[in-house]
């Protein structure tokens, strides 16, 4: 980890020089300063103030931060553009005191780009401001340093008469939370058995979506996104002895994880077990433009962990949503999102795959039952998270909130309802309101005796004038997941220009 941090600091210095050097010739350099503080009554910051914000605001109670960012862009010609940015944060009452939140270089050619580094990324298909969160990459956790190639948003394909657009993203990254995982594991195994942590984990992510022309009366989108955690060194206690399983990623593994394959006993399990922790989702939406100023759409994001989910054997599991948008310059109701989220089916409660075991065992029960998908969990990798915060939907109780410091998801079977609304009060003032209610039943392997529940809400007033952007809000959390807490939040941002 020390070597990785050294490289990060060197990259930060070089990135700053590149931004300023290019922008002095033909481009621009901007900066942004932000201060935010929260006063809350419980043990945690209310859920709605932290969710889907790239883990900028700590989940600890009574917290705050100062951030400073610099962003630059240089246009070589009509085809080539280079840009970059970095943002540092200093926090109080947080797991991270001073750190780099963003650090990236971004080179664009026509409608494609190559990017290296960590950047806060938004969903290409969901409304980040109003949704409960994308099931695969929600912008809830800290950015993962990656190198990836992608399209600049949805790009119109040739030969289809402006009828079809595509969005694609493909890349590899590295999780940076090794020290955090080790600390939680050390605390957990002092009083519990059966825990583990996996360090040196590599991350692969790909997305592919096709959309018909969104300016037409009717339009639709279809596609999928898919992530894999692979490689790594697993450390665990078995029979009182410290055990280490080395499955560090090799160059060949970069290709092996493109599609689920047998692990070849690399992670010390039978050949039938797939190498890596795979999480994916199908996506489908249908939209209607009522006029130039109003649009509606309905969408479904259908998760999968293995073949049973890919084949839609997981019942109604998914994010079922509806969205309204007003395209007026001023509107009391600017946007509205309603979602129902279910993850209770998981292809049934039983998993038995004969290929996972040798013939002496599998021949006794040759039939197959590919259930108990156990969303976000894996036998070799910790829960699908970064620093304990969900990379996907935060409605599934995140490992960060496990009081015993267990590193996997303990409540991934839920029903939830979510509503998000925003709009304008005047030319300078706006509002944002969100509310969610969820019920959780544990996992198929460890069901809860008493169901978890949480009611979470936020009401926020926003003020924008020139380079100043301010907001203040009240958030409430009630239930037995985070406890009962109330929070008051104030945020001030100033955006300026250097060159």
């Amino acid at each position: 980890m020390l070597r990785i941090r050294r490289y990060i600091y060197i990259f930060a210095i070089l990135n700053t020089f590149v931004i300023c050097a290019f922008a002095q010739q033909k481009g621009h350099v901007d900066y942004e300063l932000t201060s935010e503080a929260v006063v809350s009554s419980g043990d945690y910051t209310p859920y709605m103030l932290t969710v889907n914000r790239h883990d900028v605001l700590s989940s600890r109670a009574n917290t705050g931060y100062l951030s400073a960012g610099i962003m630059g862009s240089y246009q070589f010609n009509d085809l080539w553009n280079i840009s970059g940015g970095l943002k540092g944060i200093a926090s109080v009452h947080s797991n991270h005191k001073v750190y780099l939140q963003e650090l990236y270089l971004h080179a664009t050619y026509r409608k494609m780009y190559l990017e290296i580094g960590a950047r806060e990324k938004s969903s290409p298909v969901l409304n980040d401001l109003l949704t409960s969160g994308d099931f695969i990459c929600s912008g809830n956790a800290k950015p993962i340093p990656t190198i990836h190639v992608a399209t600049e948003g949805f790009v119109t394909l040739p030969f289809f008469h402006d009828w079809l657009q595509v969005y694609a993203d493909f890349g590899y990254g590295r999780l940076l939370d090794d020290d955090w995982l080790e600390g939680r594991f050390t605390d957990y195994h002092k009083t519990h058995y059966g825990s583990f942590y996996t360090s040196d984990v590599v991350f692969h992510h790909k997305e592919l979506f096709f959309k018909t022309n969104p300016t037409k009366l009717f339009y639709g989108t279809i596609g999928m996104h898919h992530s894999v955690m692979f490689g790594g060194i697993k450390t665990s206690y078995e029979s009182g002895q410290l055990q280490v399983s080395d499955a560090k990623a090799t160059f060949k593994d970069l290709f092996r994880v493109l599609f689920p394959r047998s692990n070849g006993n690399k992670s010390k399990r039978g050949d039938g077990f797939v190498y890596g922790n795979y999480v994916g989702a199908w996506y489908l939406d249908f939209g209607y433009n009522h006029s130039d100023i109003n649009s509606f759409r309905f969408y479904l994001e259908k998760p999968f962990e293995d073949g049973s989910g890919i084949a839609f054997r997981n019942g109604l599991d998914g994010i079922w949503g509806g969205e309204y948008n007003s395209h007026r310059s001023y509107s009391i109701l600017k946007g509205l999102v309603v979602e129902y989220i279910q993850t209770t089916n998981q292809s049934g409660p039983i998993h038995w795959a004969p290929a996972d075991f040798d013939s002496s065992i599998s021949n006794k029960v040759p039939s197959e039952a590919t259930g108990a998908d156990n969303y976000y969990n894996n036998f070799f990798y910790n829960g699908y998270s970064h620093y304990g915060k969900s990379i996907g939907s935060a409605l599934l109780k995140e490992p960060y909130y496990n009081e015993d410091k267990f590193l996997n998801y303990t409540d991934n079977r839920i029903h939830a309802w979510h509503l998000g609304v925003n709009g304008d009060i005047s030319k300078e003032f706006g509002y944002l309101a969100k509310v969610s209610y969820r019920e959780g039943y544990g996992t198929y392997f460890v069901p809860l005796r008493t169901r978890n529940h949480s009611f979470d809400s936020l009401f926020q007033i926003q003020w924008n004038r020139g380079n100043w952007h301010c907001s203040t809000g009240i958030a409430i959390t009630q239930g037995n997941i985070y406890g009962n807490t109330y929070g008051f939040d104030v945020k001030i941002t100033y955006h300026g220009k250097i060159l």
Side-chain angles (χ1 to χ4, degrees):
M1 286 299 293
L2 290 176
R3 182 178 298 178
I4 292 175
R5 288 170 182 164
R6 190 181 304 121
Y7 291 150
I8 289 174
Y9 295 145
I10 293 173
F11 183 50
I13 295 171
L14 292 175
N15 192 39
T16 304
F17 278 117
V18 169
I19 292 171
C20 294
F22 277 126
Q24 285 180 352
Q25 304 300 320
K26 187 182 177 182
H28 65 87
V29 177
D30 301 329
Y31 68 92
E32 186 176 88
L33 304 174
T34 300
S35 174
E36 184 173 9
V38 177
V39 178
S40 50
S41 62
D43 295 329
Y44 297 109
T45 301
Y47 170 84
M48 280 295 183
L49 289 174
T50 65
V51 67
N52 300 337
R53 294 188 55 198
H54 307 281
D55 200 18
V56 168
L57 187 66
S58 172
S59 294
R60 294 186 183 182
N62 302 315
T63 184
Y65 69 89
L66 295 171
S67 74
I70 178 172
M71 303 76 69
S73 178
Y74 175 79
Q75 187 75 40
F76 287 94
N77 51 45
D78 292 339
L79 301 179
W80 284 96
N81 176 276
I82 187 169
S83 61
L86 61 87
K87 179 166 71 174
I89 294 180
S91 298
V92 295
H93 207 203
S94 169
N95 292 327
H96 305 85
K97 304 304 181 186
V98 180
Y99 60 96
L100 283 174
Q101 173 76 359
E102 290 188 292
L103 175 62
Y104 63 92
L105 276 175
H106 182 106
T108 302
Y109 175 72
R110 293 183 183 271
K111 297 295 185 179
M112 298 287 296
Y113 71 82
L114 169 68
E115 185 173 272
I116 302 173
R119 179 166 66 100
E120 296 176 353
K121 187 174 180 290
S122 60
S123 170
V125 289
L126 296 184
N127 184 328
D128 287 320
L129 181 65
L130 301 179
T131 181
S132 64
D134 191 293
F135 201 86
I136 306 303
C137 287
S138 63
N140 181 68
K142 291 191 184 303
I144 298 171
T146 60
I147 176 170
H148 64 122
V149 179
T151 59
E152 290 281 7
F154 278 89
V155 176
T156 300
L157 290 172
F159 313 117
F160 286 91
H161 305 288
D162 294 330
W163 178 77
L164 189 62
Q165 301 177 351
V166 64
Y167 174 86
D169 193 345
F170 181 94
Y172 296 90
R174 168 68 155 80
L175 301 186
L176 299 180
D177 56 355
D178 293 355
D179 293 342
W180 187 87
L181 293 170
E182 182 180 7
R184 299 275 288 199
F185 168 77
T186 301
D187 291 339
Y188 180 86
H189 86 256
K190 291 177 181 177
T191 55
H192 298 77
Y193 294 98
S195 182
F196 68 90
Y197 83 96
T198 305
S199 58
D200 296 334
V201 174
V202 184
F203 186 80
H204 167 60
H205 181 69
K206 54 182 173 283
E207 297 177 292
L208 182 64
F209 299 99
F210 293 96
K211 176 190 287 187
T212 60
N213 191 329
T215 64
K216 303 297 184 182
L217 183 62
F218 297 102
Y219 65 93
T221 308
I222 188 170
M224 60 83 70
H225 39 182
H226 185 226
S227 296
V228 190
M229 301 165 70
F230 68 102
I233 301 173
K234 179 182 178 181
T235 303
S236 61
Y237 273 94
E238 297 178 14
S239 302
Q241 299 295 317
L242 186 67
Q243 304 290 329
V244 178
S245 300
D246 190 342
K248 281 187 176 179
T250 65
F251 182 74
K252 289 183 179 180
D253 291 333
L254 300 179
F255 301 95
R256 290 180 64 195
V257 298
L258 294 179
F259 303 98
R261 297 185 184 183
S262 165
N263 67 18
N265 209 31
K266 185 163 184 174
S267 48
K268 313 304 179 187
R269 296 293 290 265
D271 285 349
F273 281 84
V274 169
Y275 173 57
N277 180 21
Y278 287 77
V279 180
W282 297 106
Y283 178 83
L284 177 69
D285 74 22
F286 175 77
Y288 166 64
N289 291 311
H290 177 261
S291 62
D292 292 338
I293 56 176
N294 294 302
S295 63
F296 304 84
R297 70 179 182 128
F298 300 93
Y299 55 88
L300 168 64
E301 189 177 45
K302 192 84 173 140
F304 61 82
E305 291 259 349
D306 55 24
S308 58
I310 293 175
F312 305 106
R313 297 176 186 170
N314 53 356
L316 295 177
D317 285 0
I319 301 173
W320 302 76
E323 181 176 358
Y324 163 79
N325 281 292
S326 171
H327 306 293
R328 298 174 185 266
S329 58
Y330 168 82
S331 178
I332 294 178
L333 181 59
K334 199 86 171 178
L336 182 148
V337 165
V338 179
E339 293 177 335
Y340 168 69
I341 302 96
Q342 175 178 314
T343 63
T344 55
N345 187 285
Q346 301 191 20
S347 303
I350 300 173
H351 179 85
W352 172 256
D356 291 346
F357 303 92
D358 59 43
S359 58
S360 63
I361 298 175
S362 61
N363 287 342
K364 296 179 181 180
V365 184
S367 301
E368 187 174 63
T370 55
D373 291 341
N374 203 13
Y375 295 154
Y376 292 167
N377 286 331
N378 185 268
F379 73 91
F380 193 84
Y381 300 92
N382 299 118
Y384 185 66
S385 61
H386 195 211
Y387 290 100
K389 304 308 291 287
S390 177
I391 300 172
S393 174
L395 285 173
L396 283 67
K397 181 187 172 185
E398 302 163 284
Y400 179 93
Y401 294 103
N402 291 337
E403 296 289 346
D404 59 6
K405 300 188 177 181
F406 188 54
L407 291 169
N408 279 16
Y409 286 79
T410 59
D411 186 14
N412 60 14
R413 299 184 60 241
I414 70 165
H415 289 108
W417 297 261
H418 174 82
L419 172 68
V421 183
N422 74 317
D424 300 313
I425 301 173
S426 68
K427 290 184 178 180
E428 293 185 350
F429 286 90
Y431 72 91
L432 170 67
K434 294 194 288 187
V435 59
S436 294
Y437 177 75
R438 82 188 97 168
E439 296 179 346
Y441 308 93
T443 69
Y444 272 130
F445 299 98
V446 186
L448 295 175
R449 291 183 178 181
T450 303
R451 69 185 180 191
N452 277 339
H453 64 277
S454 184
F455 172 84
D456 306 283
S457 61
L458 167 70
F459 182 76
Q460 186 179 82
I461 297 294
Q462 303 161 341
W463 174 72
N464 300 293
R465 175 182 287 181
N467 294 335
W468 290 94
H469 309 278
C470 305
S471 66
T472 182
I474 297 175
I476 300 173
T477 288
Q478 299 281 299
N480 61 355
I481 298 178
Y482 315 109
N484 299 330
T485 180
Y486 303 83
F488 177 74
D489 174 81
V490 176
K491 180 181 177 183
I492 302 172
T493 297
Y494 180 80
H495 188 97
K497 189 176 182 65
I498 299 176
L499 298 171

